[in-house]
Amino acid sequence: MVSLKLQKRLAASVLKCGERKVWLDPNEVNEISMANSRQNIRKLVKDGFVIRKPQKIHSRARARRALEAKRKGRHSGYGKRRGTREARLPTKVLWLRRMRVLRRLLRKYRDAKKIDKHMYHDMYMKVKGNVFKNKRVLMESIHKTKAEKAREKTLSDQFEARRAKNKAIRERKIARREERQAQGIPEAAPA
């Protein structure tokens, strides 16, 4: 058996690949062993005695399947975790997300005139003070506060209306009394 080490090296250089990718025709060993220059190797490549082997297939099917399962939440039990809980998802990231969501909601409500600037500031400070754990709780609190304010306003309006009515009645009574006195009608004794 003739050593074709040189030919393999030259062929790898000519074909621009590694030596493991070079295929030398076992039936043309004598012909190939005569080639001792790149020129001759090029000729052999043209004749099909020296071929560059195709790339091996490296399937990603299994990797894709595993990734799909991971997206569904599989393979993430205690045994698969390397970092601490804080390292895997920092509490600061969770806090930032929550702050941004709640502050965005407050801005939206203020711009839409659903809350006034005083209520906005009050709620903003409560958000900062970790009073609301999510958007739903904040919205409920806003609605509750608004309802409370509306109730107080209606009560105060009713109270004002009652006071005005009583005042008008009192004034009318005094006017009538003065009118009677002017006419000289004696005042009836209160029973």
Side-chain angles (χ1 to χ4, degrees):
M1 181 69 191
V2 191
S3 171
L4 300 176
K5 215 169 169 190
L6 169 75
Q7 285 75 6
K8 198 158 229 187
R9 182 173 64 75
L10 292 174
S13 175
V14 167
L15 295 169
K16 293 190 172 65
C17 64
E19 286 181 31
R20 66 202 285 272
K21 289 282 181 202
V22 174
W23 177 83
L24 305 173
D25 194 339
N27 303 322
E28 306 291 339
V29 172
N30 294 330
E31 180 84 23
I32 292 168
S33 66
M34 301 294 285
N36 61 358
S37 68
R38 287 162 204 275
Q39 191 82 40
N40 296 352
I41 295 288
R42 277 195 203 98
K43 187 177 179 302
L44 290 174
V45 170
K46 207 170 105 183
D47 295 345
F49 298 157
V50 175
I51 295 172
R52 179 181 179 164
K53 287 186 201 168
Q55 265 192 324
K56 288 250 170 66
I57 290 171
H58 185 168
S59 171
R60 276 200 55 78
R62 283 184 299 281
R64 265 191 233 108
R65 200 166 67 227
L67 193 65
E68 214 168 285
K70 268 201 171 158
R71 287 210 184 105
K72 284 182 183 169
R74 315 285 184 268
H75 316 294
S76 59
Y78 290 123
K80 292 285 181 185
R81 300 180 195 173
R82 297 298 294 272
T84 60
R85 178 190 287 168
E86 186 67 17
R88 286 162 66 85
L89 185 57
T91 47
K92 182 175 182 179
V93 169
L94 293 171
W95 171 263
L96 279 173
R97 270 188 207 158
R98 187 161 50 132
M99 285 302 103
R100 285 174 183 170
V101 165
L102 298 180
R103 287 174 181 177
R104 199 179 303 128
L105 179 76
L106 283 177
R107 272 200 304 277
K108 197 174 98 177
Y109 272 25
R110 184 183 61 182
D111 295 342
K113 300 281 189 290
K114 285 187 180 176
I115 57 175
D116 61 350
K117 64 179 184 180
H118 304 294
M119 192 171 170
Y120 169 85
H121 182 70
D122 191 41
M123 289 294 174
Y124 189 97
M125 294 318 275
K126 278 184 178 172
V127 163
K128 186 181 179 181
N130 198 17
V131 174
F132 311 111
K133 71 171 185 175
N134 56 35
K135 202 165 153 180
R136 181 178 55 80
V137 175
L138 174 60
M139 284 165 81
E140 279 173 9
S141 174
I142 288 172
H143 294 319
K144 195 175 166 191
T145 312
K146 280 176 74 175
E148 191 68 36
K149 272 192 174 178
R151 200 167 137 271
E152 278 177 16
K153 193 175 183 302
T154 52
L155 282 174
S156 68
D157 286 352
Q158 283 173 359
F159 185 65
E160 279 298 317
R162 201 175 300 130
R163 272 179 67 185
K165 191 176 160 192
N166 288 346
K167 195 178 177 190
I169 289 171
R170 215 178 305 117
E171 283 174 356
R172 233 179 297 135
K173 230 183 222 173
I174 291 167
R176 217 177 298 134
R177 193 180 296 150
E178 283 174 358
E179 206 175 288
R180 282 209 191 111
Q181 281 176 352
Q183 289 172 356
I185 300 168
E187 189 72 32

